[in-house]
Structures are given as C-alpha cells and as structure tokens.
Amino acid sequence: MSHWSFAASTPVIIVALMVWLAAIWLFVSHRRASGGRKAVTRLEALRFFIITLLTVTLLRPEFVQHLKRTVRPEIAVLLDASASMKTRDVVVTNRATSRAEWLAKERTNQFWRPLEKSAKVLVEDFAATVKTPLPALSPSDGERGVGSEGTDINLALENALKRQRNLKAVLLLTDGDWNLGQSPLVAATRFREQGVPIFSVAVGRETPLPDLVLENVSAPAYGLFGEQIIVPFKVRSNLPRDVKTAVSLIDTNGDEIKKEISIPALGELQESILWSPHIVGEVSLKVQLPVEKDEAIPENNAQDFRINVRVEKLKVLLVDSLPRWEYRYLRNALERDPGVEMHCILFHPGMGMGSGRNYLASFPGSKELLSRYDVIFLGDVGIGQSELTPGDAELIKGLVEQQSSGLVFLPGSRGRELSFLESPLAGLLPVVFDKTKPEGVALQNESSLLLSTAGKRHWLTRFDSDEDRNEELWKQLPGFYWSAAIEKSRPGSEVLAVHSELRNSFGRIPLLVTRAAGSGKVLFMGTDSAWRWRRGVEDKFHYRFWSQVVRWMAHQRHLSESEGIRLSYSPETPQVGDTIFLQATVADAYAATAGDERVAGKLISPSGRAEQFGFSAVPGGWGVFKSSFAPTEGGKYKVQVASERDGRKLETEIAVTQPVREKLGQPVNMQILREISGITRGTSASYEALNEIVKQISALPEPQPTEKRIRIWSNPWWGGFMLFLLVVYWVGRKLSGLV
C-alpha cells in the first residue's frame, strides 16, 4: 500500500499557489504579446512546466510506502553473564543464592515460553570477556586483542537491534552494573526511534550486602633493605556498625605485622601499615582483614602483592658554612647510616675549606661530578665569596629538576638562605621568607613542631605506624628556640609541620615543607635544632628522621638502573589506561640536544606483543630523555632501553594492575534500568516480578507495518532534472534570439 504525501505548512502552500498562478498569467500574457509564435509558445510552456515543478517541490512531496511485515516478530532475551552476577544476594524461599545461580535456574525453566506463542524468542548472554583491540605490530599481523572483564550494556542492546529484522521487544535481565562503553541510554534512544520497548529485570538487591572490602593496596615498586616501607590501603565498609579490628601484613616467611584500625559504619578508611624487609629479592606479601561474623563475602578481605627489596648505597652531599650543632649531628647520622655514602663541604668563610674524612676540597663544579648525588643538603650557606657560586646554584637546580635528585634547605642564624632569592634556586624554595628578619626569630621559651593534617599521614614524619601514637611522639620531642623568618608557604608546596607558638595573617608559620621541582623533590626545615631530638633517646628519632628523608628523596632515581644508565617512571604503580611517563638518564649523553634520538626503547607486553618506541632529549644538557606509553593489559611489561652510541643498555619490568571492574557485593543499579525502560516505553521491575514482566510482553500488540518514505523534494535526481530543464530553456531562448 502506498500514497503521496505533502509535508509543507499552510503558509508555504499559499505561497506556492500564488507562484503557480503568477506563472499562468505570465504564460498567457507573453503568448499574446508574441503574436502566437510557435517557438515562443513552446518556451513559455517549458518555463511554466519548470515553475510548476518548483512549486510542487515547495510542497515537499513524499512517496509513502507501507510494508507489511512477513517475518514473525522477534523478542530478544539478554542475560547478564558478568562476574558481578556471582554476588549472593538473591533470596528464594528464605535461602540466599547468587544472581548467576538464580538466572541459570530460570533459564533452565525457560521462563520465556509464554512469549513463544506470538513471537520468535532469541536468548543471548552478554558481558562475558571483552576483547580490547590493539594496534597491529605490522601490516601482516592484523588486529590483535587482549581479554578483559567488563559489562557493556549499551553494546549488547545495539547488537540486538542490528541483528533482529523484526524486533518486537527486548527483555533485559541484569544487575545494571555497566562499566564499559557508552551509557546504555544511547542505545535506549535508538530503540525509542524504532518503537521497540525494553523491559528490564533487576537481578539482585538495591542495598549492598553487609561486608568489609579491602579495595586497594598500593605498595611501591621497590624498597631498600633495612628501611621502613609504607604500604597504603583502603577499606570500605557496608556494615551498619563501626568495626574495630586489626589489619595484618604477612610476608613470605609467615612473619606478621598487625595494626589496629577503626572503620566507620557504611564508610571508608584510608590507612597504611609499615613493613621492614629482612631479606633481599622479590618478596610476596599479603594484606588481609579478619572476617567479621556478619560479613556476606569473605573473599574480598585480602590482597596479595609483590615488592622488590634491594640494597642500594645512596649518595648524599652535605654543604654548610660553619660546624654548628645541626651540621655535626647530621653529618654523624649520615656517616653511620650503612645505606648512605656521604660527602661534605664546609666552607668556613675567612678560614679556608674544612678537611678530613669524607670532606671535599671544593664543590663538584660539573654535571658529571654532581650527577652522582641523590640528595644535597644546603645548610646555613648561600651565594657569595668563599661559598656557592651562581654556577653551582644552576647545577643544583638542573640536578633536582632533571635528574630526580632531592634538595634539603637547612637555614641557620647567619641568614644566608636569603641570597638564594636572587639565584636559580629561587624557584625551588617551598616557602616565602620575611626579608626584614634575615637572622631569623629567637624565643626565650621552647617551641615545638606541630604536625599538619598532611604531616600526620606523610611517610617522612612517621615514627610509629599508629597515627595517634605518632602524633604524641612528635609532641614529646625536645623543642627549639630559633627558627627561620618565614611568611608563608608557596603555592604548590605541602606543609607537614608548623610552629607551635608563632602565627601571622596567613596562619601558623610553616617550618617543615615539601615541594615537587621538576622530577625531583625539595624539603625545607625551618629550625636548626633537630639534633636536640637525641635527648634521652640517643639516635632513635634523629637518625630515623634523616634516614627517611634521604630514602624518600632518592626513591625515584633508583626505580631501575644499570651501569651508566637509569630509568624512572611515573606513576610508580600504574593501572591499565594510565599513561606511563618514562625518563632515561644516560651518563655519557650530557651533550645531547633537542632532536637527539640516541636512546631507543623496546616494550614487550604481558601477552608477548613487542613494540619499538623512541625517546626525545630534554633540553638542558643533563643526558635526560623522555618517552611514554599507555598499557592496554594488566601484568608485567618488559622495558628495554639502550643507547648504542654510548654503549649503555638497561632492562626492567613495570607491573601494571588490571582494574577490577566486576566487583562483588555491589547493589543493583536500579536507576539506569528504570531510565532505559522509561525512554523506550517499557517496564522495569525486580527479579521477583519476572513473570509479570513476561505477561506484559505477551500482551504487546503486533508490530505495525513499517513505513518507507521517499522524499522527492530532497532527491538529488529531482534537482538534477529541474536543472536540466532550465538549461534547455536557456538554450532555447538563445536559439530563438530572445536573449
């Protein structure tokens, strides 16, 4: 069955009619004026015909065909097969079962049988392993991919719409936990346009199961033998009560460290536990929570991870002007640290350079000499005669920003730190000085350092794994009588501790402040009395603090290294989808300039896929080269870096975590299911009402005949035909001598 239709509005119809009447008047008047000449009559008739076609076009004519469906209607039944369906929260006859088990039982019973009376039923699983496409290694490789778990409800609906020719309805049984692809509402909009309703059944409960979940354990890629390694973790509670428990960290030998924690009801807790390795090599560790009696899912209370324990000799340079107490005790602490190789410089203005064991006769005045140091301490020393030069300051800045070294400012009563404000080191300072008080601020009464909120959680300030006990220890430390004159911290800095007594318009005076500088770190210590922490306890806190400072600052430089070449990367614990930034430092490439491509890399994925990539030189002449890549699968990536010109090469592994998209214990996403059904004029219900939903689908009317519209007014052939007639008309006028 077919017919013609005109889609123009009433005003357009009136205009078209007036144009057509005007065309009739022109035809008649011009024919009379020409005396009835046959050539003119033919041309006028052609023009009238063209104008008639144009007026018809203005009416927007369409040829409408109604095609009766000859294929039996189809109903698609989509069943969620994702891992989240293993959650045990479906209650049947007072017995809890998993969503997948309930779905399997209903599938065995063929709940869709009533629908087969009036339609063809197609049952299909979705959200099984998804193949993530990867670029081909060569033209002959074709497309490759890596399996990953996830739920893409939008894709499942799109496929159902594409495959079925006479789709009557869709029955979607899922928990609504979509974590891949576009929003399902995109597909729902297309279903609405096609007039196909989606009926959704939420399999599971709308409230989470009572449970404790150890969600995230992010340990560093490596640790140094003998140091304390901080292992952060996150716990989420779905229990309606506060939980006091003890988290455990268990190593390969079965040694266990416990830490008491308190988890708020229906809340989250981010904490950390300290671990001291006693063996060298790759160590397997486990963080676990005790299972509470009312927990529904005990399997998510533990996580395993591995960490590489190494022995490194960190190189430290200590620079000062006079042998004050802070310098003496710090020098002793670093010299006695078995993991530190320390050199010191004592300028002794007016007296000549200090000398002795581990003393240097002058400041390392070249990139080659200075680049060996992981951390530099600058005491009460500045830029000037018989001290540092502007060139030395420029070298220190390059070392920190480009080679990931650390810099510690330890000012003193001479106030020489103010000279850095006119040097290349000005941008590295974490604080703003009060220039009116170069000698600092001295008090008669003892003051102390108060930890800030950030300082209570920072690894540098950890003397005890328990946060409350650690804060109490800091309050008990012997105080100080002098501090540097500081106005405030600079934007981008992190304040770890403040003055217990002094404040100004910006708040309490910051005294322990850190700051990132390029790829390195900077620490500012605004007192010269940390040596007093030894009172009554000897080396316990003083040595430990400075040991942690050195290891924290040097950590990035030693992620991976070989003779003459180092490789650092960020983030240190990457996940699939992150961009991993690589920085290679080659000892013999200080003359490298922009565009230098001497460093090349090779990446081998966990699935064995190999890929070549290049490094670009970083301006500055520090032999630093940068690159990046985005991992597409979880596991260990082998990274090979080589500089053939310099004879340097390195191979390391980067562990990439695959995010867990399919989580157990999550409530059903009822909101998205209601929106899908609402848009498509379907119905959404819980799993208890499955039979009612089936009855509603059975009662749906037969699909209406499909309507096919051919828009004549916008057809290019129609426009081409009218253009041809206009050309004929114009040529005819030329031949007749009318132009």
Side-chain angles (χ1 to χ4, degrees), residues 321-379:
S321 58
L322 298 173
R324 53 184 178 145
W325 290 112
E326 188 69 20
Y327 167 82
R328 294 180 182 183
Y329 282 104
L330 177 57
R331 180 182 181 279
N332 290 341
L334 297 174
E335 191 173 41
R336 295 174 185 176
D337 191 326
V340 172
E341 178 185 332
M342 188 270 302
H343 293 121
C344 54
I345 298 174
L346 198 60
F347 282 107
H348 265 311
M351 297 176 59
M353 298 289 291
S355 60
R357 187 177 69 251
N358 297 327
Y359 275 86
L360 299 181
S362 62
F363 186 84
S366 68
K367 295 174 181 176
E368 291 82 357
L369 293 175
L370 194 62
S371 62
R372 66 192 298 261
Y373 292 103
D374 299 301
V375 183
I376 295 179
F377 286 81
L378 294 182

Side-chain angles (χ1 to χ4, degrees), residues 434 437 439-450 480-489 495 497-512 526-527:
D434 183 352
K437 302 175 182 177
E439 71 287 351
V441 179
L443 299 176
Q444 292 185 347
N445 297 323
E446 187 180 59
S447 302
S448 61
L449 290 171
L450 293 181
F480 54 88
Y481 294 90
W482 178 91
S483 63
I486 302 165
E487 286 187 355
K488 60 179 181 178
S489 61
V495 178
V498 297
H499 203 295
S500 63
E501 306 299 331
L502 299 182
R503 63 170 64 236
N504 57 20
S505 59
F506 299 104
R508 290 191 180 274
I509 303 299
L511 292 181
L512 188 60
T527 78

Side-chain angles (χ1 to χ4, degrees), residues 660-732:
V660 180
R661 297 190 180 97
E662 298 295 329
K663 299 179 181 180
L664 299 180
Q666 298 291 319
V668 296
N669 190 348
M670 199 69 187
Q671 180 181 354
I672 193 69
L673 298 181
R674 290 193 183 105
E675 291 182 14
I676 292 172
S677 298
I679 290 174
T680 60
R681 297 190 178 95
T683 304
S684 180
S686 180
Y687 65 93
E688 296 100 336
L690 175 60
N691 292 332
E692 294 297 324
I693 293 293
V694 171
K695 290 179 182 179
Q696 290 186 34
I697 299 175
S698 300
L700 288 175
E702 292 297 318
Q704 297 295 320
T706 58
E707 186 179 83
K708 183 179 180 181
R709 289 179 174 267
I710 301 175
R711 292 183 172 90
I712 303 298
W713 58 275
S714 61
N715 192 297
W717 288 103
W718 177 261
F721 175 65
M722 288 192 295
L723 180 62
F724 171 74
L725 293 179
L726 286 171
V727 172
V728 171
Y729 173 74
W730 182 257
V731 172

Side-chain angles (χ1 to χ4, degrees), residues 602-619:
K602 182 179 181 181
L603 186 70
I604 303 175
S605 70
S607 60
R609 175 176 172 270
E611 179 182 355
Q612 304 286 339
F613 64 97
F615 284 78
S616 58
V618 177

Side-chain angles (χ1 to χ4, degrees), residues 220-449:
Y222 83 96
L224 297 181
F225 179 76
E227 75 167 330
Q228 283 198 323
I229 299 173
I230 188 167
V231 180
F233 60 89
K234 180 181 178 181
V235 180
R236 177 171 52 83
S237 174
N238 292 327
L239 297 176
R241 58 182 176 84
D242 293 344
V243 177
K244 290 187 177 182
T245 185
V247 64
S248 300
L249 189 148
I250 306 170
D251 63 16
T252 309
N253 299 325
D255 295 334
E256 184 176 7
I257 301 172
K258 289 190 175 184
K259 179 178 181 178
E260 293 183 356
I261 58 174
S262 181
I263 310 168
L266 303 175
E268 293 182 350
L269 175 70
Q270 288 188 328
E271 257 291 357
S272 60
I273 188 168
L274 295 178
W275 174 66
S276 297
H278 302 294
I279 56 175
V280 176
E282 193 169 61
V283 181
S284 298
L285 297 165
K286 175 190 285 187
V287 176
Q288 67 178 23
L289 288 167
V291 178
E292 296 293 313
K293 60 182 180 180
D294 49 348
E295 275 196 77
I297 309 173
E299 295 85 1
N300 53 20
N301 283 35
Q303 283 195 25
D304 298 319
F305 64 96
R306 303 176 73 86
I307 186 169
N308 188 21
V309 179
R310 305 203 298 255
V311 176
E312 297 281 358
K313 203 77 170 177
L314 305 179
K315 297 174 177 60
V316 176
L317 179 62
L318 175 59
V319 183
D320 214 325
S321 58
L322 298 173
R324 53 184 178 145
W325 290 112
E326 188 69 20
Y327 167 82
R328 294 180 182 183
Y329 282 104
L330 177 57
R331 180 182 181 279
N332 290 341
L334 297 174
E335 191 173 41
R336 295 174 185 176
D337 191 326
V340 172
E341 178 185 332
M342 188 270 302
H343 293 121
C344 54
I345 298 174
L346 198 60
F347 282 107
H348 265 311
M351 297 176 59
M353 298 289 291
S355 60
R357 187 177 69 251
N358 297 327
Y359 275 86
L360 299 181
S362 62
F363 186 84
S366 68
K367 295 174 181 176
E368 291 82 357
L369 293 175
L370 194 62
S371 62
R372 66 192 298 261
Y373 292 103
D374 299 301
V375 183
I376 295 179
F377 286 81
L378 294 182
D380 194 3
V381 66
I383 309 293
Q385 188 176 3
S386 300
E387 291 184 291
L388 296 172
T389 66
D392 296 335
E394 187 67 47
L395 286 174
I396 295 173
K397 177 186 178 183
L399 180 71
V400 175
E401 291 184 339
Q402 295 209 29
Q403 293 218 348
S404 306
S405 291
L407 176 62
V408 182
F409 290 101
L410 286 172
S413 57
R414 296 178 66 229
R416 296 298 295 145
E417 66 276 4
L418 294 181
S419 63
F420 293 140
L421 297 176
E422 306 298 328
S423 78
L425 295 179
L428 273 62
L429 288 164
V431 296
V432 177
F433 293 114
D434 183 352
K435 299 179 182 179
T436 64
K437 302 175 182 177
E439 71 287 351
V441 179
L443 299 176
Q444 292 185 347
N445 297 323
E446 187 180 59
S447 302
S448 61
L449 290 171

Side-chain angles (χ1 to χ4, degrees), residues 151-154 175-184 662 669 672:
T151 304
D152 191 343
I153 297 178
N154 184 76
D175 56 10
D177 182 22
W178 66 277
N179 42 56
L180 284 177
Q182 293 181 297
S183 168
E662 298 295 329
N669 190 348
I672 193 69

